[in-house]
Amino acid sequence: MIDTHAHLADLPEGVVERAKAAGLTGIVAVSANLTTCEGTLRLVREHRGYVHGALGVHPTEFFDQSLEAALEIIRANARECVAVGEIGLDYWHKLVRKDAAMKERQREFYIRQLQAAREVNLPVSIHSRGAWGDCIELASCHGPGRGVFHWYSGPLDVLDEVLDAGYYVSCTPAMELSPELRVAMVKAPLDRVLIETDSPVWIKSLGRESEPADVQLTLRHLAELKGLPMADVYAATTRNAETLFKI
Ligand SMILES: [Zn+2]
């Protein structure tokens, strides 16, 4: 069982040990800006073989970031990492919604990081909120041809395009409350689904923020939704993560 998307650099010490105690066999630590890229690299080195790194600048955090520095850190550390991410587009973000120049800059960050992923031959972890169609279109033009549409809650016709293009989709404990995420996960075949937490995220039923160990919740929800034994979903999603990230 692998948490394929956690903002580990934003989480307190101790969550890695708790993930191990909960039976997780690995964590993919994603980054969102240049500071968390450094934090991710530190965690990868500290927990080698257990914490797997993804570097990149998030579509809601690019405003004060240097694109050239982001591309440089992705290229320079590609051999130590398993993915480029979290990258993508977020057309619902308040600074992008009404500002064409900001939106253009967000797209530039996404496209250049997709190209860097292709260049270093790593899969991408994609945030696509409110921009699902453009995310798959640009990934198909510029990306490495493999990756995951993380926390996919977009329309089902775009889900078809995402799956046809060979991408995985992932789900989080938010399945508990999100009809969009549930509908997408019912439709996506199990051999293309990954589980994750996107931690830290507030989980209402737990009354606290999530951490990687909570990927067990995601697993349970997905098994219920698919009407399959937990063991089958555990095996399939672990295999999917190992295949995509080569871990
Ligand atoms: Zn995330």
Side-chain angles (χ1 to χ4, degrees):
M1 181 166 47
I2 297 167
D3 182 356
T4 61
H5 187 115
H7 293 265
L8 210 54
D10 294 331
L11 286 161
E13 299 265 336
V15 297
V16 174
E17 296 316 314
R18 285 205 289 277
K20 286 179 180 169
L24 274 71
T25 52
I27 300 168
V28 177
V30 298
S31 311
N33 55 48
L34 291 166
T35 307
T36 50
C37 282
E38 295 292 351
T40 296
L41 283 170
R42 258 197 311 278
L43 289 159
V44 165
R45 288 163 189 160
E46 202 175 312
H47 304 279
R48 212 173 278 283
Y50 191 81
V51 171
H52 308 282
L55 303 178
V57 172
H58 191 281
T60 66
E61 300 205 12
F62 68 93
F63 313 101
D64 58 354
Q65 302 287 304
S66 155
L67 176 54
E68 292 311 319
L71 298 173
E72 178 51 32
I73 199 167
I74 289 168
R75 290 191 189 108
N77 298 285
R79 265 189 296 184
E80 272 189 275
C81 291
V82 300
V84 171
E86 176 174 356
I87 63 170
L89 300 172
D90 190 324
Y91 291 166
W92 290 355
H93 193 268
K94 58 182 186 303
L95 290 173
V96 168
R97 260 194 327 245
K98 290 175 188 157
D99 188 330
M102 275 291 187
K103 188 171 173 179
E104 206 39 57
R105 184 74 176 142
Q106 191 188 56
R107 289 168 60 90
E108 189 185 1
F109 264 79
Y110 181 45
I111 291 169
R112 296 286 303 281
Q113 291 182 101
L114 284 170
Q115 290 165 341
R118 178 184 276 187
E119 194 184 303
V120 299
N121 193 25
L122 284 178
V124 279
S125 188
I126 298 173
H127 172 113
S128 53
R129 192 173 72 135
W132 301 282
D134 282 6
C135 273
I136 184 58
E137 193 183 311
L138 290 170
S140 298
C141 287
H142 303 284
R146 55 202 181 93
V148 53
F149 275 64
H150 118 87
W151 193 332
Y152 187 86
S153 54
L156 294 181
D157 57 333
V158 180
L159 176 61
D160 285 335
E161 289 178 46
V162 165
L163 295 169
D164 287 347
Y167 285 83
Y168 291 80
V169 288
S170 66
C171 54
T172 70
M175 252 183 304
E176 193 175 79
L177 297 171
S178 162
E180 293 85 1
L181 181 56
R182 292 173 71 88
V183 166
M185 290 306 133
V186 166
K187 183 162 191 194
L190 188 58
D191 65 356
R192 301 291 282 287
V193 175
L194 304 177
I195 54 173
E196 52 139 314
T197 60
D198 201 19
S199 50
V201 169
W202 182 261
I203 308 278
K204 205 174 166 192
S205 66
L206 299 178
R208 59 163 172 80
E209 285 195 326
S210 58
E211 60 180 67
D214 298 319
V215 79
Q216 298 168 102
L217 270 183
T218 315
L219 179 70
R220 203 174 65 218
H221 290 316
L222 184 61
E224 272 170 25
L225 204 60
K226 293 285 193 191
L228 291 169
M230 290 256 285
D232 293 3
V233 177
Y234 177 108
T237 53
T238 304
R239 194 166 52 236
N240 296 343
E242 289 168 351
T243 304
L244 176 62
F245 297 113
K246 299 194 170 136
I247 50 182

